[in-house]
Every structure is written in structure tokens, then in C-alpha cells.
Amino acid sequence: MTSEIKSKGYFGEFGGSFIPGELQEVMDILESEFLKYKDDPEFIEEFRYYLKEYVGRENPLTLAKNLTEKVGGAKIYLKREDLNHTGAHKINNAIGQILLAKRRGAKRIIAETGAGQHGVATATACAMFGMECVIYMGKLDTERQALNVFRMELLGAKVVAVEKGQDRLKDAVDEALNDLVQNYENTFYLLGSAVGPHPYPTIVKHFQSIISEESKRQILEKEGKLPTAIIACAGGGSNAIGAFAHYLDEENVRLIGVEPIEAPSISQGVPAVLHGFKSLTLVDEQGEPKPTFSIAAGLDYPSVGPEHSFLKDSGRAEYVTVKGEEALEAFQVLSKTEGIIPALESSHALAHAMKLAKELTREDILIVNLSGRGDKDVEQVFNMLEK
Ligand SMILES: *Cc1c(COP(=O)(O)O)cnc(C)c1O
């Protein structure tokens, strides 16, 4: 990626689009189509229809009564993205972007995936909408996540194992971008988190904002007031930005993003360009992205959506870190107290909520965004606890 073109889509100094000219043209088209459809009543109706009938929204805002009693202090509510079809928030964005793709007449969807979670959400939506689906995945990742590869294939997707560079996510992204530049007339690149060049962070936030649209209405119905804080884990930052969106202007509501201490992009990163956008990024002395090692595959990313970097700088949101072992503990506590097995990613948010609740009173309300369910993690946790 040689030529750098700066354009719109900035959050303070972060975001933008640092990509070659030919890719920039594709992004410009995508931006104009997004702006055209996002407020179109028919488009909105179609999006809402699939969220209700296919994803199963709206999902509940559950009072975690037993957990609240066990922990003491603030009341803890859980926004139940774990109850969505496919078991996480990623499907909200996959449906939204596929509907955009359909509007522009694309017949083919491509996506990158690391651990496979975004690949599975994309393959799911493609099966339902009858779209051809190609998922790029680093060869090393296809070997480690063989079951997710099979799951995508079962859903009708073609999984391309990328044997370039380090055979990891970054190389899969590069291959997907090459494919997009060559085939953009019939192909749509479905990006999985609030990252990437403009307009992707804005598009993903738009579709994930349904989370806070619902939770705000639900908490007002249940408690007659807004929460003290919203707590969400941040990998690329899509569930967190969706959980924050409708509270950004409510100054009295604290917004807290939780990162694994093993991949603390926001807490310890420096401004740098990775994957075509500028954000807080973990880099080594050579300026190369640092490898990260979170037990939660979805949080294992050395950068973060640019709006989070801005929210940190402006002080509107707070970002904290949690250790893998604390997340593992929270995973077990929620399972035992509430009969809800959370994703290891979501367990990071939960671990912080349990600490914070103790410092507050029963008058305070915490909403934890339970980004996904933990069925996918049970075998890994079994292996970790055996040791
Ligand atoms: C992918 C994933 C995440 C991390 O992605 P964000 O874009 O930061 O939301 C978090 N939780 C679950 C369950 C995931 O699948």
C-alpha cells in the first residue's frame, strides 16, 4: 500500500482512509451508497424485518439478580446479544451490510476472518440471502480453527486459506482487498468490526447501534432512569460502539470499554496506521504491529476502531484492562450464578463490572453488553482448567 490518500471519516485525528487510489474509488462508491440508503424508509424496514424474524431481536435486558446479590453494590443488567441467532452481535452488522450489497446489485460477498467468528456470521447471512460467499483466512488460522472452517463450508461458503506473509489475519485482509479491487462491480466486502478505512467504521457503528437503541428504551422502562455506566469489551470495537452509541450525548452515563491486558490497544497503543486507518495501535520498535495473545480470539487485535481512540482522547469514554484469568473467573461465576455461559470476550466486560459494582451502591445501575454466548469457548475453557 504505497499511495496514501487522506479523506473524510475522521474522529479527531483518528480514522480516515490510507489506501491506494483504486481502492479509494471503491470506498467512495460505498460511502455514497451507504448515505443514500441508511435513512431510506424501505431499507430501514427491511433491516428491522430481518433483525426481528431472523436474528430474534429485540433481545432482553436481563437483571442479573443472583450476580448482583453475590457481588454487592450496583445492580447489574445484561444486554443479551448472546441470544441472537448465531450467538453474538456480529450478525447485526452482517445483515445490514448484506442488505447494502443487495441494493447495489452485488452477487458475491467476500470477508476476512481470524478466528472464524466473523466468517461464520457472514456465511450465515449469505446462505439466507442466496449470495455467493468467499472467506479469506490465514492458512495457520484455518488449521487452528478447523471446525469453524467446516461450519462456514456447511453454510455454503468457500474458505480460501491464504499462504502469504505470516499466514494470519493481516494477510487474509490483504487478499480480500485485492479481490475487491479486481471484482468490485459484482463483489461486496463485508467487514466485521468498527475498523478499516472510511466508511466502514461509520457503517458498522450504524448497524450495531441497535444494541443501545434497545437498551436505552429497556432500562427506562424497567428503572425509569438511565444507567450509571455501560460496560463492553473492545476488540475491534463494534459491540462497544454499538452499546455506547445512543448514550454518547448523555454525559452522566459512564462509557467503559474493557480490553484484555494481553492486547491493550487503546490503553497502551500509539497513533499509527494499520489496515488502512489511523488509530491507537500496538507497535514494536520497527513500527510493525505487535503480536497479541488474548484467550478471547475476538479481542486479539493490535488496533481498535478509530472512534474509540477519539473517545479516549476526548475523555468521553474510559478504557480499562482485565487479565485473562479474571475473565476466566467471570466466565465461571456467571455460568454458576445465572445459568448463562458468556463468551470469553464478554467475560472481560463482566469481570470489570464485578469490580466496579462493589465500589457503587444499589442506586447505581450497570449495563454489561453480553456480546456473545460461550458455547464456542467451552472446550477451550475445559482445557485451560484441566492444567
Ligand atoms: C468478535 C467478537 C468480539 C469482538 O469484536 P468487537 O468488534 O470488538 O465487538 C466480542 N465478543 C464476541 C462474542 C465476538 O464474537
Side-chain angles (χ1 to χ4, degrees):
M1 303 223 167
T2 43
S3 63
E4 286 189 359
I5 298 167
K6 262 199 173 185
S7 79
K8 301 164 283 222
Y10 275 84
F11 305 90
E13 67 163 306
F14 301 106
S17 131
F18 297 79
I19 50 178
E22 51 201 341
L23 198 53
Q24 187 61 49
E25 286 172 29
V26 181
M27 291 302 121
D28 290 345
I29 297 169
L30 176 61
E31 182 193 30
S32 67
E33 284 167 350
F34 172 64
L35 293 176
K36 183 167 150 200
Y37 292 120
K38 80 177 176 56
D39 299 318
D40 172 40
E42 262 177 50
F43 183 84
I44 295 172
E45 200 187 314
E46 203 180 2
F47 181 52
R48 300 278 155 152
Y49 172 85
Y50 287 107
L51 288 183
K52 179 167 187 278
E53 301 295 334
Y54 192 68
V55 177
R57 301 197 80 96
E58 76 179 34
N59 57 41
L61 179 69
T62 308
L63 173 62
K65 203 158 162 274
N66 302 333
L67 182 70
T68 298
E69 266 160 35
K70 182 182 163 77
V71 173
K75 266 191 193 173
I76 302 174
Y77 278 89
L78 308 172
K79 181 58 179 155
R80 304 292 305 279
E81 294 301 304
D82 63 309
L83 292 179
N84 294 343
H85 176 49
T86 67
H89 67 290
K90 286 194 174 73
I91 191 79
N92 304 327
N93 171 56
I95 299 271
Q97 286 194 43
I98 278 219
L99 290 175
L100 270 185
K102 254 182 54 176
R103 291 282 155 131
R104 63 162 288 205
K107 300 271 179 287
R108 190 170 167 266
I109 301 290
I110 60 172
E112 84 298 337
T113 197
Q117 287 147 253
H118 174 54
V120 170
T122 303
T124 300
C126 286
M128 205 250 304
F129 286 102
M131 294 275 212
E132 185 186 343
C133 180
V134 178
I135 306 291
Y136 288 96
M137 194 168 181
K139 182 153 188 298
L140 242 160
D141 291 327
T142 61
E143 287 160 7
R144 274 194 268 209
Q145 303 286 340
L147 203 59
N148 269 341
V149 173
F150 176 66
R151 200 170 271 139
M152 289 182 261
E153 288 170 350
L154 192 63
L155 292 160
K158 181 176 163 209
V159 179
V160 179
V162 177
E163 288 189 73
K164 277 189 187 150
Q166 299 177 311
D167 302 352
R168 296 297 310 277
L169 178 64
K170 180 180 181 305
D171 313 296
V173 172
D174 289 343
E175 280 301 289
L177 289 174
N178 281 340
D179 181 324
L180 179 65
V181 165
Q182 278 162 31
N183 303 303
Y184 79 91
E185 273 142 15
N186 72 346
T187 298
F188 187 99
Y189 183 4
L190 206 163
L191 211 141
S193 190
V195 298
H198 177 69
Y200 279 110
T202 301
I203 292 179
V204 175
K205 175 188 182 183
H206 180 76
F207 292 132
Q208 292 293 2
S209 295
I210 186 72
I211 300 173
S212 49
E213 183 190 311
E214 289 178 5
S215 80
K216 196 172 185 182
R217 186 172 63 236
Q218 290 169 315
I219 201 68
L220 288 172
E221 273 168 25
K222 287 175 198 291
E223 296 279 352
K225 64 178 182 183
L226 293 175
T228 308
I230 311 289
I231 304 174
C233 64
S238 70
N239 87 87
I241 205 69
F244 294 172
H246 285 266
Y247 299 95
L248 285 170
D249 295 332
E250 306 285 357
E251 280 167 30
N252 295 326
V253 179
R254 288 170 67 184
L255 305 176
I256 306 176
V258 184
E259 300 187 290
I261 191 126
E262 300 83 5
S265 322
I266 315 176
S267 310
Q268 293 176 28
V270 295
V273 172
L274 180 70
H275 293 156
F277 67 104
K278 185 176 176 188
S279 196
L280 293 172
T281 308
L282 296 167
V283 292
D284 62 17
E285 295 78 40
Q286 277 78 46
E288 291 294 315
K290 264 192 199 163
T292 51
F293 303 98
S294 174
I295 58 167
L299 303 183
D300 218 355
Y301 184 59
S303 183
V304 67
E307 193 168 357
H308 288 292
S309 297
F310 171 68
L311 290 173
K312 183 200 177 195
D313 262 16
S314 68
R316 176 62 191 97
E318 309 155 49
Y319 295 88
V320 298
T321 55
V322 152
K323 292 190 199 114
E325 63 214 57
E326 295 174 305
L328 189 58
E329 173 68 21
F331 178 96
Q332 296 169 81
V333 169
L334 193 70
S335 301
K336 290 213 167 63
T337 55
E338 300 287 346
I340 297 171
I341 303 177
L344 279 173
E345 290 85 356
S346 325
S347 301
H348 284 74
L350 200 62
H352 182 71
M354 286 160 57
K355 287 191 227 172
L356 180 60
K358 289 195 183 84
E359 301 166 11
L360 302 171
T361 72
R362 209 36 65 91
E363 293 302 302
D364 289 297
I365 298 164
L366 301 181
I367 294 182
V368 178
N369 196 43
L370 212 70
S371 55
R373 61 173 170 247
D375 302 44
K376 68 181 179 59
D377 300 318
V378 168
E379 191 183 344
Q380 184 190 344
V381 170
F382 172 77
N383 289 329
M384 286 189 290
L385 294 178
E386 282 291 283
K387 281 187 192 147

